Structure formats: C-alpha cells, structure tokens
Amino acid sequence: MSGIFITFEGIEGVGKSTLQKGLAEALEAQGYSVLLTREPGGTKLGEKLRAAILSKEQGAVAPVAELLIMFAARAQHVEECIKPALAAGKVVLCDRFTDTTRAYQCGGRGLPDAWLEQLIEMTHCGLTPDISFWLDLPVDEALGRAKNRSEADRIEQETKDFFERAREVYRNLASAEPQRVIRLDAASLPQALIQQALEVFRQRV
Ligand code: TMP
C-alpha cells in the first residue's frame, strides 16, 4: 500500500478533530490527496453503529457488546474505505482507531488485551497506523473542555477514573511504541499542534 495512515487519539475534549482538519488543510495545500474519516463510523454501516452505540437513550451496554460493535464498524471501515484509499496513495487521517479500543474497552472497561489482539488479527488485514498522534491533557482539563463543547454522548458520561485508566493506556502505548505513537501536549495552541504534526509527517515521508 502506497498511502500513509495517520490516526488521532486521546480522551474526550483534547482537540483531535481540530488537529485532524488543520493537518488535512495543510497537506492538501502541499498537494497531497487526503481522506478524512472517523471511528466508529466512516461508512454507512459504521455511522449507523456509531449512532446506536453512542446514544444516551440506549442505556447500559454490555462491555463485550461495545467491544464487538467497535470492531464490526472497524472491519467495514478498513475493507470499504481505508484499504482502498491507501492503495490509491492517499493520506488517510482517521479520528480514533484501535488505540482507542485498547484505552477505553481494555483500560476503561477492563476487558482482556488478549481479546483485542484476536479482533485486530480478524479486522486489520495487517494494517497498522504509520503515525498515531496522541493528544494528551490532564483528565479534569480535558473533560472540562468536552463539557463546554457539546452535549455528552453515552461514553463521554463515564467517570473520571475511567478516563484516568484510558489515559494510562495511551501513556503506556507511547512509551512502548515511540516510533508510531507521538505524544502532543494538547494544551498547546491549535496552530502550534498542526506545525508539530506537520514536522513529524515530514520526517516520516
Ligand atoms: P468521538 O470520536 O467524537 O470522541 O466519539 C467517539 C466515542 O466512541 C468516544 O467516546 C470514544 C468511543 N470509542 C470507544 O469507546 N472505542 C473505540 O474503539 C472507538 C473508536 C471509540
């Protein structure tokens, strides 16, 4: 595959979407063909699964059901959207991917990592992000920002401890895979974050 696969990660309210859009504009201005997408979602089926799993009206969801729905959406997304875009040489910018599942469903909900590994084998088709930008902010600050931004969805309503565990998983990923998972200080101004992300991109491409 000749394209580049970049993901944006972090807990709620850290500014992933802003960085994703800013980086997309900067790369398009340099002549790159960019696909902006998100998880769960990115396909017709994925967006339906997203609406179902994030709806507050849904009430409690069994953690295993949540895990499987995230991966069902991902399987469709990889097959229908991400793989063809990479094959066409595009830069794929994806708001969240499997690192979120590891942080939220394994860290937050406590599901075993071994289950995740099996699902990765089933759905990724050998695909790993080339770069994952982890936007990091203390949990209180991030949740404060998220609250001001929009009405919380079902998962955003989780406890502070849930997000502390998720943040810890991101921290561990960044130290285990420093080549792929790049920590960015989400307290920086949006323009500074775009410049930092562009610099990492330039070094890799
Ligand atoms: P967001 O992308 O707008 O932040 O909303 C997506 C929500 O779904 C967010 O609360 C994180 C959650 N999520 C998971 O719990 N597991 C996953 O694998 C993914 C992709 C998202």
Side-chain angles (χ1 to χ4, degrees):
M1 295 202 203
S2 56
I4 299 151
F5 184 27
I6 300 177
T7 60
F8 299 83
E9 291 287 352
I11 59 171
E12 317 295 320
V14 292
K16 290 177 291 88
S17 313
T18 307
L19 177 59
Q20 183 199 29
K21 287 187 190 90
L23 187 61
E25 278 169 23
L27 292 176
E28 274 166 353
Q30 293 179 20
Y32 288 98
S33 174
V34 175
L35 173 76
L36 274 181
T37 188
R38 67 175 179 179
E39 289 212 349
T43 64
K44 209 167 160 186
L45 175 64
E47 291 296 329
K48 283 185 183 165
L49 293 171
R50 178 187 179 95
I53 195 71
L54 296 183
S55 161
K56 275 190 296 189
E57 282 74 58
Q58 170 56 45
V61 174
V64 181
E66 191 176 84
L67 175 75
L68 293 174
I69 287 173
M70 295 301 175
F71 270 99
R74 182 161 303 134
Q76 186 69 20
H77 194 207
V78 168
E79 193 65 31
E80 183 182 323
C81 204
I82 299 177
K83 274 205 308 187
L86 292 175
K90 293 190 183 183
V91 180
V92 175
L93 300 182
C94 188
D95 189 344
R96 298 193 180 282
F97 196 62
T98 300
D99 292 339
T100 299
T101 326
R102 200 181 286 283
Y104 281 54
Q105 277 68 51
C106 297
R109 303 262 187 249
L111 295 179
D113 279 317
W115 293 1
L116 193 81
E117 300 310 331
Q118 275 199 308
L119 289 162
I120 289 173
E121 211 180 310
M122 288 159 68
T123 55
H124 276 212
C125 309
L127 198 67
T128 308
D130 296 294
I131 307 169
S132 298
F133 290 114
W134 166 40
L135 285 149
D136 185 34
L137 207 58
V139 172
D140 280 335
E141 261 178 74
L143 296 185
R145 280 198 200 176
K147 224 179 256 163
N148 292 334
R149 188 191 56 185
S150 61
E151 213 193 317
D153 63 36
R154 189 183 57 81
I155 296 176
E156 271 180 54
Q157 293 177 315
E158 274 303 331
T159 61
K160 187 181 170 211
D161 280 355
F162 175 97
F163 291 109
E164 291 288 3
R165 291 194 294 277
R167 187 183 183 208
E168 185 61 25
V169 171
Y170 283 126
R171 195 179 286 126
N172 292 340
L173 278 171
S175 63
E177 297 180 62
Q179 280 304 309
R180 177 179 72 84
V181 183
I182 310 295
R183 180 186 177 275
L184 297 176
D185 182 355
S188 307
L189 291 173
Q191 205 50 44
L193 289 168
I194 294 167
Q195 288 312 316
Q196 287 171 42
L198 267 177
E199 190 47 42
V200 173
F201 181 87
R202 266 192 224 110
Q203 286 165 8
R204 299 297 166 83
V205 177

